[in-house]
Amino acid sequence: MTKTPNRSDYRPAFRLGLLTALLAAAGLAGAQDGTIQKLQQMKVATTDLNIPLVPQTGKNADTIRENLKRIKLPPGFKIDLYAVVPDARHMAVAPSTNMLFVGTRKTTVWAVTNRNSGDMATEVKSFAPSLKFSNPNGVCWTKDGFLIVAEHNRVLNFPAAEFFYEGPDVAVITVVDQGKLVPPEEESYNHGARTCRVADDGKLHVTLGQPYNVQPKDKVALYEKLGIGGMVRMNAFDGSGREVVARGVRNPVGMDINPKDKSVWFTDNQTDGMGDDTPPGELNRITKSGGEHFGYPFIHGNSTQIAGTGAAPDLKGMSPPSSWTKPQLEFPAHQAQLGMTFYTGKMFPAKYQGGIFVASHGSWNRTKPSGALINFVSLKGDGNADKSEVFAEGWIDDNGIYRGRPVDVAVMKDGSLLISDDFAGALYRVTYAP
């Protein structure tokens, strides 16, 4: 495999020769659609160079700002609209420029740019519109500035995306071909949103939710083998060296890597149909190698039994492995914790530095809606979770109606915190001033 270059090798202008070598190293073998083939050969895939912009002013933006007046934050914090971004899901803040990429559960990845370095984005448009994405929820960066897009059943890698996103055609490397992330027969409309992170060793980590409420008995062993209902890692450029690093999970839709000790953390969503107040949501930490097991579908949280209950009657008599890892923290039931991030900025008070922000999407089938908030989780000296507290709330109004549903959190270079909302179709920016 060609050695991955340092970002300084191509900034500010990416070297065409280096890019061509990378694409050749990635290979063109396998079944690819015509557009992918053209882009990998540096050929034009479309003749329309104009990409429509998402309006950032008007009645919609004004109404979103009005709704934000309901949000409660600790003293000194302020929340504002940063950008109107339809169906905004997970975010990847660019390493070298004042922009970011935002995934969706539809067919678009958004490029969000702040050209004047002001308080809000100045431009939102689709990224690589000549490509056909399918549920490109997960976006993340390699350590040297390559954008990863994790779709439902494909993974793509875009060299220097933050510098070459202006036109519809972009350089692309196929990490995992369509239909090779999970077996096609295991594809489902349910729990297909992937998330990703790249560790310092260059390995790409991808979460894989299992597609059932509780997987049936005949799927348990298969999913544990493949990492469905868990996490896999692989080479970020060609998908080689794939291995399962977490299993026994239901639907992880958020992860991050602690920059201090390099441990991988992830959220896990709860089983439905067991009542309003059970089972708990989870925040997990991978502490071992070799496919660590987190108890599902036998147990959720620290001790809530799943196997053999009304939610999983065919699992009666099955037991968790002799050794499984309990969550770092339990969250209230059915709040649907999704994106999470370690706070690496300096803008917020010392209390928050090094801790974790977690986005709660909110319940969908609870008698009384719950969630739609941001939690903050502090850490102990040994790196384990300490306690959780509500940091931002108010997206559910007094009538129990959602005014927004947070999905992900990301730290900007100035230390402010971005929150994505796929219901309102927006990004919010939280700042702090003593």
Side-chain angles (χ1 to χ4, degrees):
M1 173 92 190
T2 302
K3 182 179 182 294
T4 303
N6 293 320
R7 192 182 306 129
S8 58
D9 291 338
Y10 57 79
R11 189 173 58 187
F14 194 89
R15 297 177 181 176
L16 180 59
L18 175 59
L19 177 56
T20 303
L22 280 167
L23 296 176
L28 298 176
Q32 301 286 348
D33 61 47
T35 301
I36 285 280
Q37 289 183 349
K38 287 181 179 179
L39 295 180
Q40 288 184 328
Q41 296 175 51
M42 309 299 290
K43 293 182 178 180
V44 175
T46 181
T47 56
D48 186 359
L49 299 180
N50 297 305
I51 305 176
L53 301 181
V54 177
Q56 296 298 302
T57 59
K59 186 175 182 179
N60 180 47
D62 293 342
T63 302
I64 292 173
R65 289 189 179 93
E66 190 66 25
N67 285 333
L68 287 179
K69 294 179 180 179
R70 301 171 176 272
I71 305 306
K72 299 176 182 178
L73 292 159
F77 288 93
K78 180 182 178 181
I79 187 168
D80 290 299
L81 175 65
Y82 184 74
V84 176
V85 183
D87 310 302
R89 296 279 295 184
H90 287 259
M91 301 175 285
V93 175
S96 302
T97 57
N98 200 4
M99 59 91 62
L100 69 149
F101 292 91
V102 183
T104 70
R105 290 192 64 187
K106 295 187 176 179
T107 59
T108 302
V109 175
W110 297 107
V112 180
T113 308
N114 187 339
R115 295 192 182 277
N116 60 19
S117 299
D119 293 335
M120 67 178 295
T122 56
E123 180 183 277
V124 177
K125 64 183 181 182
S126 61
F127 169 66
S130 61
L131 283 172
K132 184 179 180 181
F133 292 109
S134 178
N135 196 350
N137 180 81
V139 287
C140 59
W141 295 97
T142 68
K143 297 303 178 181
D144 41 10
F146 292 68
L147 177 70
I148 302 291
V149 176
E151 300 177 78
H152 186 182
N153 206 359
R154 180 175 68 170
V155 181
L156 299 177
N157 181 322
F158 297 91
E162 63 178 316
F163 297 104
F164 296 98
Y165 68 92
E166 297 291 0
D169 298 337
V170 296
V172 60
I173 299 168
T174 300
V175 181
V176 179
D177 283 322
Q178 177 63 41
K180 298 295 180 65
L181 190 58
V182 299
E185 60 270 21
E186 299 302 333
E187 285 189 19
S188 170
Y189 61 83
N190 201 34
H191 300 169
R194 317 304 184 194
T195 60
C196 64
R197 286 291 190 274
V198 179
D200 285 352
D201 62 3
K203 289 295 183 72
L204 168 65
H205 293 64
V206 180
T207 58
L208 300 176
Q210 61 85 14
Y212 296 87
N213 182 32
V214 183
Q215 61 263 51
K217 187 174 184 177
D218 63 354
K219 297 288 187 181
V220 173
L222 173 66
Y223 286 2
E224 291 189 0
K225 177 182 178 181
L226 298 178
I228 299 175
M231 186 186 301
V232 296
R233 69 180 174 191
M234 65 194 74
N235 185 291
F237 290 87
D238 63 7
S240 62
R242 176 170 169 164
E243 59 182 327
V244 177
V245 294
R247 51 174 58 92
V249 184
R250 181 176 179 268
N251 184 31
V253 197
M255 79 157 111
D256 200 14
I257 299 175
N258 188 340
K260 185 175 181 180
D261 63 12
K262 314 306 178 185
S263 59
V264 180
W265 295 61
F266 62 92
T267 58
D268 191 16
N269 283 199
Q270 307 91 339
T271 300
D272 299 313
M274 297 185 68
D276 278 1
D277 300 313
T278 190
E282 294 184 11
L283 177 65
N284 292 287
R285 180 190 187 194
I286 298 176
T287 58
K288 306 172 185 176
S289 60
E292 193 167 353
H293 201 290
F294 289 85
Y296 202 77
F298 315 104
I299 291 179
H300 222 331
N302 289 312
S303 58
T304 303
Q305 296 293 321
I306 304 296
T309 67
D314 69 325
L315 298 184
K316 185 177 181 179
M318 296 186 70
S319 301
S322 57
S323 177
W324 59 278
T325 302
K326 292 186 177 182
Q328 288 281 307
L329 199 71
E330 290 186 338
F331 290 109
H334 304 299
Q335 291 189 345
Q337 287 73 30
L338 301 183
M340 57 165 290
T341 189
F342 283 88
Y343 183 72
T344 56
K346 300 297 183 183
M347 177 187 287
F348 291 6
K351 166 186 174 178
Y352 298 98
Q353 295 175 23
I356 304 171
F357 285 100
V358 181
S360 165
H361 201 214
S363 58
W364 69 270
N365 65 345
R366 199 174 184 275
T367 303
K368 183 178 180 179
S370 177
L373 50 81
I374 304 297
N375 282 105
F376 174 73
V377 178
S378 56
L379 301 184
K380 300 176 183 177
D382 61 3
N384 288 310
D386 184 13
K387 59 183 179 180
S388 174
E389 63 185 58
V390 174
F391 174 76
E393 62 181 339
W395 282 281
I396 300 177
D397 68 19
D398 295 337
N399 296 317
I401 303 298
Y402 283 102
R403 299 296 183 99
R405 299 189 74 194
V407 175
D408 194 22
V409 279
V411 183
M412 297 285 277
K413 294 181 184 63
D414 64 357
S416 59
L417 185 73
L418 286 183
I419 301 169
S420 65
D421 182 334
D422 63 349
F423 182 79
L427 303 185
Y428 313 124
R429 179 171 175 256
V430 178
T431 55
Y432 176 78

